[in-house]
């Protein structure tokens, strides 16, 4: 079973609730929320208030919050109390990562680790035992609508070969055409922004890809 996580970064900013509802009506159960700080990545997005609003509007969805930010420790509590079910931090930050996982778990959420295209899987091998989710970036993080970098998919197989059997998610440029390749490499969650939100038939994409 493959899970599809629509990335609400691709929603119309004036109609975020409407566009998320379209994805939920199309069968999505997980909402991917990108938090960007203009330091770790070259863009800015939302804060805990957005997570809180989505939690309120979509109480039964899993909120998969992708923290593309330096110093995430400062905000772990705010995001989880706002309703995040899963918090993914980046391996490229200069903080005590295991202690952040500990805090995430102590607040009852799942912890994830993500790597940018230039970071090797060997950098996160030491975290495998602490996380429920690994997120492989298949574009340089910061913007939706980019082209998937196929070499990044090899990292999925590497992680499966290392024995990682938790949620393995891939994020960036995933569409109905390249999703199968990602799943063949070991992904069991596909984050999709542009390809889903721009589609006339997101229900078909979600149904087809869930069955891969
Ligand atoms: C990129 C974000 C992604 C993005 C994916 O920095 O982490 O979640 O929204 O969008 P698409 O699917 O358009 O590449
Ligand atoms: Zn993301």
């Amino acid at each position: 079973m493959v899970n599809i996580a629509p990335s609400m970064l691709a929603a119309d900013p004036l109609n975020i609730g409407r566009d998320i509802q379209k994805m939920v009506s199309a069968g999505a159960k997980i909402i991917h929320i990108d938090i960007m700080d203009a330091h770790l990545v070259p863009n800015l997005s939302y804060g805990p208030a957005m997570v809180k609003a989505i939690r309120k509007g979509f109480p039964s969805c899993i909120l998969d919050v992708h923290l593309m930010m330096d110093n995430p420790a400062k905000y772990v509590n705010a995001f989880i109390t706002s309703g995040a079910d899963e918090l993914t931090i980046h391996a490229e930050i200069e903080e005590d990562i295991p202690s952040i996982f500990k805090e995430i778990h102590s607040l009852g959420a799942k912890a994830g680790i993500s790597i940018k295209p230039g970071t090797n899987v060997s950098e996160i091998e030491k975290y495998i035992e602490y996380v429920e989710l690994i997120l492989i970036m298949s574009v340089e993080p910061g913007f939706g609508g980019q082209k998937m970098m196929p070499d990044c998919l090899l990292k999925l197989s590497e992680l499966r070969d290392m024995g990682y059997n938790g949620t393995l998610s891939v994020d960036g440029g995933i569409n109905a055409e390249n999703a199968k390749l990602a799943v063949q490499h070991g992904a069991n969650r596909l984050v999709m922004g542009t390809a889903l939100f721009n589609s006339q038939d997101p229900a078909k994409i979600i149904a087809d890809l869930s069955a891969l």
Side-chain angles (χ1 to χ4, degrees):
M1 174 76 186
V2 177
N3 289 303
I4 312 303
S7 175
M8 49 74 69
L9 191 64
D12 172 1
L14 278 184
N15 294 286
I16 287 172
R18 178 202 69 185
D19 285 1
I20 293 177
Q21 183 57 57
K22 278 189 197 165
M23 296 303 137
V24 171
S25 302
K29 301 199 166 19
I30 304 171
I31 307 298
H32 183 86
I33 306 174
D34 286 312
I35 308 297
M36 306 195 268
D37 69 345
H39 288 272
L40 187 70
V41 295
N43 200 1
L44 273 175
S45 61
Y46 327 102
M50 177 61 81
V51 174
K52 196 171 183 178
I54 297 176
R55 173 83 289 154
K56 190 166 174 230
F58 301 93
S60 55
C61 282
I62 293 168
L63 303 188
D64 165 13
V65 177
H66 179 190
L67 295 182
M68 288 172 274
M69 60 188 295
D70 285 319
N71 300 311
K74 274 185 174 171
Y75 292 91
V76 163
N77 194 294
F79 280 110
I80 295 175
T81 55
S82 296
D85 297 294
E86 305 172 332
L87 269 197
T88 296
I89 59 173
H90 266 264
E92 295 84 5
I93 61 172
E94 288 175 4
E95 282 185 75
D96 179 3
I97 289 180
S99 82
I100 301 178
F101 294 148
K102 226 183 238 172
E103 190 184 358
I104 293 172
H105 287 144
S106 74
L107 292 166
K110 290 182 177 168
I113 188 82
S114 182
I115 49 175
K116 296 182 184 184
T119 305
N120 292 325
V121 158
S122 56
E123 299 289 324
I124 55 169
E125 194 171 0
K126 55 185 175 289
Y127 304 133
I128 285 180
E129 60 182 305
Y130 299 108
V131 296
E132 289 78 34
L133 191 164
I134 297 180
L135 177 65
I136 297 300
M137 291 306 307
S138 44
V139 297
E140 285 299 339
F143 301 91
Q146 305 180 72
K147 202 171 170 301
M148 190 269 284
M149 299 161 76
D151 282 359
C152 295
L153 301 185
L154 302 175
K155 296 179 187 178
L156 301 165
S157 335
E158 275 182 68
L159 284 158
R160 291 305 188 203
D161 290 345
M162 285 173 181
Y164 176 68
N165 57 15
T167 298
L168 187 50
S169 187
V170 59
D171 184 7
I174 301 297
N175 57 39
E177 289 70 45
N178 61 28
K180 190 168 184 181
L181 198 61
V183 172
Q184 283 168 344
H185 280 81
N188 58 0
R189 181 180 298 183
L190 305 170
V191 175
M192 294 178 77
T194 311
L196 263 186
F197 284 82
N198 283 1
S199 167
Q200 293 305 311
D201 195 354
K204 178 169 165 45
I205 296 180
I206 291 174
D208 289 352
L209 303 189
S210 299
L212 282 175

